Amino acid sequence: MIRRLLVANRGEIARRVFRTCRALGIETVAVFAGPDADAPHVAEADLAVRLPGDRPAGTYLDAGRVVAACRASGADAVHPGYGFLSENAEFARAVLAAGLVWVGPPPEAISAMGSKIEAKRLMAAAGVPVLPSLDLAAPAEFPLLVKASAGGGGRGMRIVRGPEELAREVASARREAEAAFGDPAVFAEPLWQRARHVEVQVLADAYGTVWTLGERECSVQRRHQKVVEESPSPGIAAEVRERLFEAAGRAAAAIGYVGAGTVEFLVRGDRVAFLEMNTRLQVEHPVTELVHGVDLVRLQLEVAEGGALPAEPPGPSGHAVEVRLYAEDEHYLPQSGVLRRFEVGGDVRVDSGVESGSVVSPYYDAMLAKVIAHGASRAEAVRKLVTALRRARLHGLTTNRDLLLRILTHPDFAAGNTHTGFLDPDGPIATTPPEPSGPGELAGLAAALALAADNRRRAPVLGGLPGGWRNVRSQPRRTAFTTGDGGTIDVVYDPLPAGVRVVSAAPDRVVLERDGVRHAFAVARYDDAGPVYVDHAGGHAELTPLPRLPEPVEHVVPGSLLAPMPGSVLRVEVAPGDRVVKGQAVLVLEAMKMEHRITAPADGVVSGLHVEQGRQVEAGAVLAIIQEGES
């Protein structure tokens, strides 16, 4: 029996495993790198061990230090989570060699699937349908997809649409694969455009029982990373589903699999092709848990303790949908900083690695939480999810909430017409204008009234007088704000707009009535120089008051390329004096082990270059200057 379990991971992953351990009475041990010293997963564990190391992300990958943390804490078992070390066969061997219980598949099974190139060969031999591999030097067809052999999660993946892109994208994929997985090997497959990405949850014990616990639709992706997942898939036929289950069972049996794993496929019409097998629990496992009424972490622990699975898995009930809430902007660039408020309620499950006041660092994946809803029908689950996201209070960092709401409320999504190009520039979301969110024009009025109420509350003298009182009024009372999208609004709040009445106005809550309908606004501000956050039933707004007498500001030279996020300069593509064309790569930043190309905004000449390879830069730093039209 497992007595004390160390989770060799961080954030939401560790908290998810800890939750099951608490229910089973198993003591927990967290490990953490320096930036995570105050993280929620550290506070929740019974014991915590700091891992020494200078590289925050790399610290978690050091198998020797993790095993040493087991000895120091008295842990007798290790759960690798579902990232970092979970698919590292050498780590599994090190855990077993130390006499500890390994909550995962046998090292041999991990090794078999650790190289996607070798995995494809094994799956083909087992009768699992696979895509052909293409010659990287002279591929037989385009478009194609370059993939890292050693990893996943979208890292080391590049779409190549023509031969002129091939060398550049292959080199970029190799660099990213080396940085993320320590292995630069890549391979290429035909790109099935607008196919479905469907995966099957498998669970096996040591006695030959293999479960296939339904399928998950994971087609809605950005940068080859999943954004929305659901179970069951809304768009595959019953005979295709059975073929997927049969192929997933074959895959697990072919490598002697034990524990929880996921077999991923592409589906186009009635055609099925193996993508990869992830020898671990997946981020999206909650949708399977809610539909099948199981705790997959508990089953993992029971199998690791030598338990046997029942002959048949529990059947499905209802529908579940999960969204990944990221700290990122509309261009999918990760954000870092203080998450001032994190409140997500409603009839949903929230698996998060953060809480109000958490610091989101630039060292790790930008996912804040998974929000999951279950209903008797797909429509019911989606409605619960939409309501929870709209009512959530998310302050301090830009998130992808608005994108998630656009996806969930799009007619194509409602019809189940999802595919891997759903978020492409020519896909349904990009080509459909966003709908206005609720009484948005009243949000500015609520912010102005809340600020006025706060000023009166803090007034050192004559606090009983109405705000803005004058013997003779010469002009309306107004406040100007900048909006989250860079616009400006001017709000007149005395006199009020026609048809609007103030029911109540406090610094943190304003109730307005317009044409007989009341609207309540929750208002928050965390410092005098920061934005005002306004949340209401129809949406949310981030408004920064403009000072009446602005202070002088430092102007940025026209043509400046600014760092969109903190990161390291991986490569500089140009030199001062070089002529560039719009869209040409000027340099490449690395953040969270992903490459981000910084491109020229227009044709011109590089008149200034302010960084060099290897330099760390902060968000907003001037990287280079492009003089437009120069020759």
Side-chain angles (χ1 to χ4, degrees), residues 127-471:
V128 177
V130 301
L131 288 170
S133 293
L134 300 175
D135 183 354
L136 276 173
E141 61 181 280
F142 291 96
L144 57 83
L145 186 63
V146 178
K147 302 168 71 174
S149 179
R155 292 168 178 168
M157 296 180 71
R158 296 291 186 276
I159 293 175
V160 182
R161 302 197 180 276
E164 70 281 356
E165 302 176 2
L166 185 63
R168 183 188 71 221
E169 297 299 344
V170 168
S172 179
R174 282 176 171 152
R175 284 191 304 270
E176 195 167 90
E178 173 73 27
F181 313 115
D183 183 352
V186 298
F187 65 103
E189 294 176 333
L191 178 65
W192 277 12
Q193 299 186 84
R194 305 211 163 187
R196 291 183 181 273
H197 185 143
V198 182
E199 61 190 27
V200 178
Q201 176 70 57
V202 297
L203 190 72
D205 62 21
Y207 310 103
T209 300
V210 179
W211 285 1
T212 53
L213 273 170
E215 87 282 358
R216 297 187 287 255
E217 170 91 29
C218 307
S219 298
V220 181
Q221 306 174 4
R222 93 285 188 264
R223 299 181 59 166
H224 312 296
Q225 292 180 315
K226 301 162 189 172
V227 178
V228 180
E229 299 104 350
E230 58 182 307
S231 182
S233 169
I236 61 173
E239 58 270 21
V240 174
R241 179 174 287 110
E242 289 305 313
R243 287 171 57 203
L244 289 169
F245 292 172
E246 194 269 340
R250 280 193 183 189
I255 59 173
Y257 201 78
V258 175
T262 306
V263 188
E264 303 197 4
F265 300 90
L266 280 181
V267 177
R268 188 166 64 178
D270 61 355
R271 297 178 65 190
V272 171
F274 171 84
L275 278 176
E276 63 184 1
M277 182 174 184
N278 290 304
T279 53
R280 55 179 167 84
L281 209 56
Q282 291 277 86
V283 174
E284 56 271 22
H285 75 274
V287 295
T288 298
E289 293 185 322
L290 292 176
V291 168
H292 288 268
V294 296
D295 181 335
L296 288 171
V297 174
R298 177 175 186 146
L299 290 169
Q300 279 187 299
L301 295 169
E302 290 176 350
V303 167
E305 290 178 326
L309 296 171
E312 297 294 331
S317 176
H319 200 100
V321 184
E322 170 183 297
V323 294
R324 301 192 191 192
L325 185 64
Y326 285 96
E328 65 182 22
D329 67 11
E330 68 274 18
H331 305 295
Y332 310 138
L333 296 176
Q335 307 292 294
S336 59
V338 179
L339 185 62
R340 297 288 193 174
R341 180 167 297 189
F342 178 79
E343 295 176 2
V344 183
D347 187 15
V348 293
R349 168 174 161 178
V350 180
D351 287 10
S352 72
V354 297
E355 57 192 16
S356 296
S358 289
V359 175
V360 178
S361 81
Y363 304 113
Y364 313 112
D365 185 86
M367 191 176 78
L368 301 175
K370 304 174 308 193
V371 186
I372 315 102
H374 178 259
S377 66
R378 183 173 186 263
E380 180 183 325
V382 170
R383 185 172 61 234
K384 288 180 179 181
L385 203 48
V386 167
T387 300
L389 288 172
R390 281 183 175 154
R391 294 178 178 174
R393 303 192 72 186
L394 307 170
H395 301 166
L397 292 176
T398 301
T399 73
N400 68 332
R401 170 177 41 186
D402 288 344
L403 172 64
L404 297 175
L405 286 169
R406 289 184 66 192
I407 294 168
L408 295 172
T409 57
H410 195 281
D412 283 3
F413 184 86
N417 296 330
T418 55
H419 50 76
T420 53
F422 202 76
L423 296 182
D424 285 355
D426 60 347
I429 297 300
T431 56
T432 304
E435 295 183 2
S437 59
E441 69 277 11
L442 292 183
L445 179 57
L449 291 168
L451 288 179
D454 188 49
N455 288 338
R456 298 314 304 156
R457 183 187 64 178
R458 297 195 288 178
V461 295
L462 300 177
L465 288 180
W469 182 85
R470 298 289 187 275
N471 282 323

